[in-house]
Structures are given as structure tokens and as C-alpha cells.
């Protein structure tokens, strides 16, 4: 029985080889993208001239650390807490919340 199971496992592994190759390539690609994003954010943070009026519009935001909150599905809370701690969420500089034009039409404003 062991030899039959072993042969079946080998055959199954061979049949999934193309899919395994694709999945591994995608994992490597996503890891590379994450590394490049981190490096881009570090570069922007290094060259950024800290100005009081600078809101960082158009700048990349650093990737978030996936903590326990993130893993439990609270990714919005996790992201906002980390961005607030790094003072990248606008903080006190945000005075108004902009509505999309479609929302303004619905509200009559």
C-alpha cells in the first residue's frame, strides 16, 4: 500500500508542477514588489523636506506591519493606527471631508 500511495503522490506532484511553478513565480513577484515599495517609501522619507504645510499629497505611503489586528480582519484599523503613529494620515491638517460630486448631488449641496 505504501508504494502505491508513494507512486500516486509522485504522479500528483508531477501533474501540479506547472501550477507550482506559476504560484512560486507569483510569490516571488509579490515579494519583490513589496521590497521595491518599501525602498521607494524610504527614499521619499529621506529626501522629503519636512514642512509644516506639506501634507505629502502624491507621496507613497509606507507598507503597514501586519499585526494581530490585521490578521483578525481589522486591516482598516491597523492601517489607520500605524499611519496616525507616523503622522501620515493628515492629522490636524485635515479640516474638511470632501464628498464626491455624486454624493453632493444626492445631499443637495
Amino acid at each position: 500500500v505504501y508504494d502505491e500511495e508513494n507512486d500516486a503522490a509522485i504522479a500528483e506532484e508531477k501533474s501540479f508542477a506547472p501550477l507550482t511553478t506559476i504560484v512560486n513565480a507569483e510569490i516571488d513577484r509579490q515579494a519583490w514588489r513589496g521590497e521595491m515599495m518599501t525602498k521607494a517609501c524610504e527614499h521619499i522619507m529621506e529626501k522629503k523636506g519636512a514642512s509644516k504645510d506639506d501634507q505629502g499629497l502624491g507621496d507613497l505611503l509606507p507598507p503597514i506591519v501586519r499585526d494581530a489586528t490585521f490578521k483578525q480582519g481589522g486591516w482598516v484599523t491597523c492601517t489607520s493606527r500605524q499611519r496616525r503613529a507616523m503622522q501620515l494620515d493628515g492629522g490636524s491638517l485635515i479640516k474638511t471631508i470632501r464628498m464626491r460630486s455624486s454624493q453632493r448631488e444626492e445631499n443637495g449641496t
Side-chain angles (χ1 to χ4, degrees), residues 7 24-25 34 44 48 55 72 77-79 95-96 100 106:
D7 292 341
N24 288 335
I44 287 172
K48 184 177 181 182
Q55 294 185 20
Q72 292 175 357
T77 304
C78 173
T79 303
K95 301 203 179 352
T96 60
R100 288 185 238 157
E106 290 174 8

Side-chain angles (χ1 to χ4, degrees), residues 17-35:
L19 179 62
T20 303
T21 303
I22 292 170
V23 169
N24 288 335
E26 186 64 23
I27 290 171
D28 290 342
R29 184 166 94 53
Q30 294 300 329
W32 178 82
R33 288 179 69 196
E35 291 171 17

Side-chain angles (χ1 to χ4, degrees):
V1 175
Y2 176 75
D3 291 335
E4 291 174 4
E5 290 176 357
N6 193 22
D7 292 341
I10 290 171
E12 183 179 352
E13 204 169 296
K14 285 181 182 178
S15 70
F16 285 119
L19 179 62
T20 303
T21 303
I22 292 170
V23 169
N24 288 335
E26 186 64 23
I27 290 171
D28 290 342
R29 184 166 94 53
Q30 294 300 329
W32 178 82
R33 288 179 69 196
E35 291 171 17
M36 292 302 107
M37 177 68 179
T38 302
K39 288 180 182 183
C41 290
E42 289 170 358
H43 176 70
I44 287 172
M45 294 300 198
E46 288 173 5
K47 76 172 190 166
K48 184 177 181 182
S51 167
K52 248 171 63 174
D53 298 327
D54 184 23
Q55 294 185 20
L57 298 175
D59 289 346
L60 298 173
L61 293 171
I64 61 167
V65 177
R66 295 180 178 185
D67 60 6
T69 307
F70 183 93
K71 292 176 182 172
Q72 292 175 357
W75 60 272
V76 173
T77 304
C78 173
T79 303
S80 64
R81 186 177 336 126
Q82 290 179 31
R83 300 264 161 82
R84 174 67 54 135
M86 292 185 276
Q87 298 177 348
L88 296 173
D89 65 343
S92 61
L93 292 175
I94 298 175
K95 301 203 179 352
T96 60
I97 297 175
R98 298 181 193 146
M99 290 193 297
R100 288 185 238 157
S101 59
S102 60
Q103 290 175 329
R104 279 188 234 142
E105 291 169 5
E106 290 174 8
N107 293 334
T109 54

